[in-house]
């Protein structure tokens, strides 16, 4: 076992705990120092490249809940390594950028802590092998992203964006939990590495559709697939470093990772391919149109992220070596250029005071390094040669270049989607940076080096990776595709292997031409799309608000209905539910038939007969009946309490006569204490008063009491009519002395075996006593006199 793999997931959490302290004492260098943690993780993970490329996998496990055979297990293969390298590599640059972007912010330490915890959650998610561990880290990404999106909590928009993201992604989280538990129940395995060796165990099961629906719901909510995409643009209320990290390498990619990871178990079926292709294709086009409708550059990038996530889901749905290779290439290319472009937009906003694309132009001379970084990133976004995205585009076109109508339709969607993405990239490159310099809220100037190093390195990495495509294809794409398809896949991409005259390259040229055409018509397209949106008048975002407000109103109505403040109705509802709980099994599940078999109803004497008791036993029962009758006929409260004690004492005598002295002693103590405490309490409530009620109240309460009593009696008779199951009694008898070290079995049960239960009961009694005391004191609290301020005129006099 290599325990250091676990440290990869735990390390960022440790750094997060220290981040506020490090920021306090090393403020100018806090970002650089904290970035050493993800940088070290990135370098450590690089050491796995060679063995993973040669077909090895690495697994590490720590005992989690040994009693249930649960392990906190981690697994590294080509897929998890690709994601982990991206998260840690991009994360290191994001931390440096964030410390400079929020320089001087009084909560910078807290922000860096949230960011590192977010990184740890995502690393844990992609490295987890155990399904429950994956779910745990999945939810941690939701919680940490909630903290980051709502970081500027003084703004209402920030709070709304955080809550919306949490609600939507947590709905998916619940679906994932159901899917995980179902998977374990159906297969008997918690580890994903073991699941993918089971071939068609899940795919061939009758509950396959339900399991698939659970995992798809989780992935679609997390990765913002249409129509659950609307939370992602609102998450832009987070500071820009969060957006850069969230959109490129972390939370929104978790759904894509989940789909890729579950492909060997749930994929390669018609329903899988159909759903992923349709939802992915619609999301791709929807996101592109949404981006062209925006003029805020950050919102434009957010919408293109939705489109890119749709593209990745579509490719995973297509399956096959070419489509999966294209998905891996595009994931890395997208992470590199999208993180760079968010950081660039943040730098432009930081140094000019606006990110409105219509208000910016001519920044290239004032911000030359930022412009170069933008050009490198847009090279990938457009998918031009000398970029990794170029190979991704070629692979996806090859994957669907077939003469049937379905692949051709998907090909059209891909070409249009890539062209629109290219148009957005050209808009962000040309509009703000070229042309004459326009006035901005701040005098434009170059950003600090800490805000430039990230976009420059990430933009350049896309170019360098394309130049090293032989190595990249063999060491990254091949192992990743092998993990997804669960069969050996060799990297095959080389510069020399490109046929520049092939129809697929012609399609690439067509994509670029369409992208340029869309760029030139950008303003008109934006106007048309905005008019169309205004004509519709509602969006998924407004629907979400309506649902949330409706939910709040529904909760208020239910609260008013159930929490009305009338104690007698509360008790009535409780005892009616109690009666239903007793009679539903008796009448609906055949319990009563066990006591009164229909076949023997003709001879009642065989079923119901008086018990064979001695005279003194009948005397005790008569005493209990007299006590009960006295309670009902009592003329005042003191008499009723004493009569209730007599009835309880008779019950204790029954325990004593039938060989249960411990229970009898306990019952006596309870009755004595009850009488004493109730008498003391009632002294504050006038013991000499009678409990007078209207006739209808007496009839209602008496009926409920009789029904509940009858239900308890019948239930006990049914229980006693069956054979006595002594397994639990024998267990207590056999283990009381050797395990609990107690000779009194009743005490052992109460203190050891039911210790938590007993503690809860004591807590309830204590809480009820405190509440009664508070109520009694409040009755005697004098009303504070109203002190009026003296009139000014009188004061003067």
């Amino acid at each position: 076992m290599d325990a250091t793999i676990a440290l990869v997931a735990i390390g960022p959490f440790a750094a997060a705990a220290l981040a506020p302290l490090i920021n306090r004492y090393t403020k100018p260098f806090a970002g650089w120092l904290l970035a050493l943690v993800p940088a070290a993780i990135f370098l450590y993970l690089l050491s796995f490249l060679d063995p993973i490329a040669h077909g090895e996998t690495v697994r590490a496990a720590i005992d989690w809940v040994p009693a249930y055979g649960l392990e906190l297990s981690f697994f590294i293969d080509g897929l998890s390594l690709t994601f982990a390298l991206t998260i840690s590599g991009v994360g290191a640059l994001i931390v440096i950028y964030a410390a400079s972007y929020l320089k001087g912010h009084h909560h910078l330490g807290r922000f860096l802590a949230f960011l590192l915890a977010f990184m740890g959650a995502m690393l844990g998610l992609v490295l987890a092998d155990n399904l429950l561990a994956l779910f745990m880290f999945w939810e941690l990404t939701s919680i940490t992203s909630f903290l980051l999106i709502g970081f500027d909590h003084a703004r209402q928009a920030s709070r709304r964006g955080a809550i919306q993201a949490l609600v939507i992604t947590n709905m998916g989280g619940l679906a994932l939990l159901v899917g995980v538990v179902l998977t374990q129940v159906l297969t008997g395995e918690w580890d994903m590495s073991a699941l993918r060796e089971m071939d068609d165990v899940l795919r061939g099961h009758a509950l396959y559709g339900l399991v698939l629906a659970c995992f798809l719901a989780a992935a679609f909510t997390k990765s913002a697939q249409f129509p659950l995409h609307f939370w992602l643009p609102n998450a832009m209320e987070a500071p820009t470093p969060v957006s850069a990290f969230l959109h490129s390498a972390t939370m929104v990619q978790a759904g894509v990772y989940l789909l890729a990871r579950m492909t060997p178990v749930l994929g390669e079926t018609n329903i899988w391919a159909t759903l992923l292709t349709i939802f992915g294709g619609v999301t791709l086009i929807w996101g592109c149109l949404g981006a062209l409708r925006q003029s805020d550059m950050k919102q434009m990038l957010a919408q293109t992220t939705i489109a890119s996530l749709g593209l990745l889901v579509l490719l995973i749905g297509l399956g096959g070596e070419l489509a999966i290779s294209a998905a891996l290439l595009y994931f890395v290319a997208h992470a590199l250029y999208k993180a760079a472009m968010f950081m660039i937009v943040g730098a432009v906003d930081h140094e000019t005071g606006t990110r409105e694309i219509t208000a910016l132009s001519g920044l290239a001379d004032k911000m030359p390094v930022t412009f170069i970084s933008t050009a490198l990133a847009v090279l990938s976004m457009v998918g031009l040669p000398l970029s990794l995205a170029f190979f991704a585009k070629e692979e996806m076109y090859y994957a669907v270049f077939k003469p049937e109508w379905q692949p051709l339709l998907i090909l059209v969607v891909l070409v249009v989607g890539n062209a629109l993405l290219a148009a957005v990239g050209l808009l962000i490159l040309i509009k703000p940076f070229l042309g004459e310099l326009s006035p901005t809220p701040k005098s434009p100037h170059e950003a600090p080096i800490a805000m430039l190093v990230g976009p420059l390195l990430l933009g350049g990495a896309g170019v360098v990776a394309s130049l090293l495509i032989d190595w990249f294809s063999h060491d990254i794409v091949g192992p990743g595709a092998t993990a997804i398809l669960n069969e050996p896949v060799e990297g095959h991409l080389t510069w020399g292997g490109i046929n520049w005259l092939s129809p697929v390259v012609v399609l690439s040229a067509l994509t670029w031409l369409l992208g340029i055409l869309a760029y030139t018509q950008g303003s008109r397209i934006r106007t048309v799309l905005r008019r169309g949106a205004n004509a519709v008048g509602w969006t998924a975002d407004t629907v979400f608000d309506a649902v949330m407000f409706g939910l709040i109103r529904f909760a208020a109505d239910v609260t008013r209905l159930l929490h009305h403040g009338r104690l007698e109705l509360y008790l009535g509802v409780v005892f009616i539910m109690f009666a239903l709980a007793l009679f539903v099994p008796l009448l609906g599940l055949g319990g009563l038939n066990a006591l009164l078999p229909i076949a023997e109803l003709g001879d009642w004497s065989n079923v119901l007969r008086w018990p064979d008791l001695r005279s003194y036993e009948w005397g005790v029962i008569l005493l209990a009946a007299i006590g009960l009758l006295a309670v009902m006929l009592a003329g005042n409260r003191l008499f009723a309490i004493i009569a209730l004690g007599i009835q309880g004492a008779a019950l204790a005598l029954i325990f004593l006569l039938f060989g249960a002295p411990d229970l009898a002693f306990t019952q006596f103590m309870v009755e004595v204490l009850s009488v004493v405490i109730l008498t003391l309490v009632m002294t504050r409530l006038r013991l000499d008063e009678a409990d007078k009620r209207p006739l209808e109240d007496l009839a209602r309460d008496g009926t409920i009491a009789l029904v509940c009593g009858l239900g308890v009696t019948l239930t006990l008779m049914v229980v006693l009519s069956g054979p006595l199951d002594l397994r639990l009694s024998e267990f207590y008898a056999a283990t009381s002395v050797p395990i609990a070290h107690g000779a009194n079995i009743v005490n052992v049960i109460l203190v050891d075996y039911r210790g938590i239960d007993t503690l809860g009961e004591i807590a309830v009694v204590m809480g009820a006593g405190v509440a009664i005391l508070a109520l009694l004191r409040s009755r005697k609290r004098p009303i504070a006199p109203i002190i009026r301020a003296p009139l000014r005129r009188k004061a003067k006099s």
Side-chain angles (χ1 to χ4, degrees):
M1 166 188 151
D2 192 351
T4 51
I5 298 175
L7 292 178
V8 170
I10 297 171
F13 290 105
L18 297 173
L21 198 63
I22 292 174
N23 178 64
R24 172 176 290 185
Y25 294 106
T26 63
K27 271 190 177 174
F29 310 105
W32 296 94
L33 287 173
L34 289 170
L36 291 176
V37 175
I41 292 173
F42 178 79
L43 293 175
Y44 172 71
L45 290 172
L46 281 178
S47 65
F48 289 95
L49 274 179
D50 188 57
I52 296 297
H54 286 86
E56 296 180 20
T57 57
V58 181
R59 187 177 183 277
I62 304 170
D63 280 342
W64 194 0
V65 188
Y68 291 96
L70 275 177
E71 292 180 331
L72 185 61
S73 53
F74 298 95
F75 184 70
I76 294 183
D77 60 359
L79 178 62
S80 55
L81 183 60
T82 303
F83 273 78
L85 282 170
T86 309
I87 294 163
S88 56
V90 174
L93 298 173
I94 292 288
V95 171
I96 296 171
Y97 179 89
S100 179
Y101 184 85
L102 292 175
K103 183 180 179 182
H105 196 290
H106 54 290
H107 289 314
L108 175 59
R110 182 193 302 174
F111 179 79
L112 292 173
F114 291 163
L115 201 61
L116 287 162
F118 188 38
M119 185 189 306
M122 196 64 202
L123 279 172
L125 191 154
V126 300
L127 293 175
D129 190 24
N130 185 286
L131 279 168
L132 280 181
L134 179 137
F135 169 74
M136 180 183 72
F137 287 114
W138 180 281
E139 289 300 289
L140 276 177
T141 62
S142 296
I143 294 169
T144 49
S145 68
F146 170 78
L147 297 173
L148 287 168
I149 296 169
F151 179 70
D152 191 5
H153 55 80
R155 292 190 302 112
Q156 194 272 340
S158 181
R159 296 196 301 273
R160 179 178 178 273
I163 291 172
Q164 192 179 62
L166 187 68
V167 169
I168 299 297
T169 55
N170 271 11
M171 287 167 53
L174 291 175
L176 178 62
L177 179 60
V178 175
V180 163
V181 173
L182 272 176
T183 301
Q184 200 280 333
V185 170
L186 298 180
T187 64
E189 285 290 346
W190 284 114
D191 291 341
M192 290 179 283
S193 57
L195 283 175
R196 68 179 188 180
E197 305 299 330
M198 292 186 167
D199 294 331
D200 291 334
V201 172
L202 274 180
R203 280 188 288 255
H205 199 280
L207 293 178
Y208 166 73
L210 180 59
V211 178
L212 178 64
C214 291
F215 279 96
L216 290 188
F220 284 6
T221 52
K222 204 78 162 180
S223 286
Q225 296 300 290
F226 182 89
L228 302 170
H229 61 285
F230 53 90
W231 68 267
L232 191 53
N234 292 329
M236 290 301 95
E237 297 300 331
T240 298
V242 178
S243 304
F245 203 22
L246 186 146
H247 284 247
S248 61
T250 50
M251 190 167 98
V252 297
Q253 300 291 351
V256 173
Y257 172 80
L258 181 67
L259 293 175
R261 176 58 74 195
M262 297 306 291
T263 296
V265 183
L266 297 173
E268 299 176 0
T269 62
N270 287 333
I271 189 171
W272 168 277
T274 304
L275 290 176
L276 265 62
T277 306
I278 291 176
F279 278 97
V282 172
T283 305
L284 169 61
I285 300 300
W286 188 270
C288 291
L289 296 177
L292 289 171
R293 187 160 58 92
Q294 305 294 329
S295 56
D296 180 333
M297 289 195 290
K298 200 173 171 184
Q299 284 292 337
M300 293 171 72
L301 291 177
Q303 297 286 350
T304 59
T305 299
I306 295 174
S308 297
L309 293 169
L311 178 58
L312 287 168
V313 169
L314 186 153
L315 292 173
I316 293 173
L318 286 176
E321 184 176 332
L322 290 175
I324 296 300
S325 298
L328 284 165
L329 282 164
Y330 189 78
F331 164 73
V332 177
H334 175 263
L336 296 176
Y337 82 71
K338 188 53 67 71
M341 294 189 75
F342 265 112
M343 287 193 267
I344 289 165
V345 169
V348 170
D349 186 21
H350 199 267
E351 308 307 335
T352 66
T354 181
R355 55 179 191 243
E356 186 71 19
I357 197 168
T358 56
L360 293 167
S361 66
L363 294 177
D365 291 337
K366 298 291 183 180
M367 307 175 73
V369 179
T370 306
F371 175 64
I372 293 171
S373 303
T374 309
L376 291 171
V378 170
L379 195 69
S380 289
M381 192 168 179
V382 178
L384 291 169
L386 291 182
S387 74
L388 201 57
F390 169 74
F391 289 96
K393 183 159 51 58
E394 297 297 300
E395 288 286 275
M396 66 179 78
Y397 288 172
Y398 270 118
V400 294
F401 194 75
K402 297 173 184 174
E404 294 88 8
W405 70 270
Q406 296 98 331
L408 285 176
L409 179 61
I410 296 171
L411 185 59
V412 171
V413 171
L414 290 176
V415 170
V416 172
N418 282 322
L420 296 179
L421 285 173
V424 176
L426 292 174
L427 282 169
I428 293 177
L429 173 66
I430 297 174
K431 289 288 185 184
F433 290 99
L434 302 183
E436 292 186 6
L437 182 65
S438 59
T440 53
K442 289 183 182 177
S443 177
H445 56 275
E446 194 59 274
I449 187 169
M451 293 175 63
L452 294 175
V453 63
L456 199 59
L457 285 178
L458 292 172
V463 176
V464 172
S466 74
L467 295 174
L468 302 174
I469 192 63
D470 295 15
W471 168 82
F472 192 86
S473 177
H474 181 266
D475 282 22
I476 302 291
V477 178
T482 299
I484 296 173
L485 296 173
N486 203 23
E487 61 185 25
V489 176
E490 291 291 333
H492 57 274
L493 294 172
T494 62
W495 276 105
I498 299 175
N499 179 6
W500 296 98
L501 299 177
S502 72
V504 170
V505 177
V506 174
L507 281 175
S508 290
L510 177 64
T511 304
W512 300 325
L513 288 174
L514 289 174
I516 293 171
L517 179 63
Y519 160 74
T520 59
Q521 301 299 317
S523 298
R524 292 183 180 178
I525 294 174
R526 184 185 306 128
T527 303
V528 171
L529 290 174
R530 286 185 173 181
R531 286 179 179 172
N534 292 334
V536 173
W538 60 270
T539 62
D541 206 19
T542 57
V543 172
F544 174 82
D545 285 341
V547 171
M548 291 300 291
F549 283 123
L551 195 62
I552 292 170
R553 284 195 292 271
F554 175 72
D557 292 341
V558 171
T559 302
R560 278 194 295 273
L561 177 66
L562 299 179
H563 194 66
H564 37 66
R566 297 181 61 186
L567 182 59
E568 68 272 23
L569 289 185
Y570 291 152
L571 293 175
V573 170
V574 169
F575 281 106
I576 289 172
M577 292 298 109
F578 179 56
L580 287 174
L582 293 171
F583 275 99
V584 167
L586 285 173
L587 301 178
L589 302 179
L592 199 57
N593 192 46
L595 181 66
L596 299 171
I598 297 175
E600 301 177 12
L601 281 180
D603 187 3
W604 284 77
S605 61
N606 291 332
V607 180
L608 295 177
R609 59 179 179 273
W610 289 103
D612 184 16
L613 299 178
R614 296 181 176 130
S615 57
Y616 58 88
E617 292 169 344
W618 281 112
V620 174
I621 292 175
L622 180 63
L623 181 62
I626 291 172
L628 185 63
L629 188 64
V631 171
M632 292 188 290
L633 300 177
N636 57 56
R637 290 168 178 163
L638 179 60
F639 188 76
I641 293 170
I642 294 173
L644 188 66
I646 293 172
Q647 192 271 343
L651 187 63
L653 284 174
I654 293 175
F655 288 144
L656 192 61
L657 293 174
F658 285 88
D662 287 338
L663 283 178
F665 176 75
T666 306
Q667 184 70 27
F668 271 125
M669 291 299 101
V670 168
E671 294 304 327
V672 170
L673 287 174
S674 298
V675 170
V676 171
I677 293 173
L678 283 173
T679 304
L680 290 175
V681 170
M682 286 297 177
T683 55
R684 305 296 185 92
L685 298 173
R686 303 183 67 179
L687 281 166
D688 54 343
E689 283 190 357
D691 187 16
K692 297 178 180 176
R693 303 186 195 187
L695 181 60
E696 59 269 22
D697 286 2
L698 284 174
R700 180 198 61 198
D701 297 342
T703 304
I704 294 174
L706 287 173
V707 171
C708 287
L710 181 63
V712 171
T713 304
L714 290 175
T715 303
L716 287 176
M717 292 175 71
V718 169
V719 171
L720 294 175
S721 66
L724 184 61
D725 189 347
L726 294 173
R727 285 179 297 172
L728 195 57
S729 303
E730 292 169 352
F731 169 78
Y732 287 143
T735 57
S736 288
V737 173
I739 293 180
H741 306 289
N744 187 320
I745 193 169
V746 175
N747 291 346
V748 168
I749 292 171
L750 291 175
V751 176
D752 292 277
Y753 293 110
R754 291 180 52 206
I756 298 296
D757 190 15
T758 305
L759 180 65
E761 291 171 356
I762 293 172
V764 169
V765 172
M766 187 177 68
V770 171
I772 291 170
L773 185 62
L775 285 171
L776 292 174
R777 285 188 172 181
S778 66
R779 293 181 74 249
K780 288 195 171 184
R781 186 177 300 163
I783 299 173
I786 299 173
I787 301 173
R788 299 181 185 279
L791 295 176
R792 184 175 298 177
R793 189 170 48 191
K794 290 184 178 179
K796 285 180 180 179
S797 64

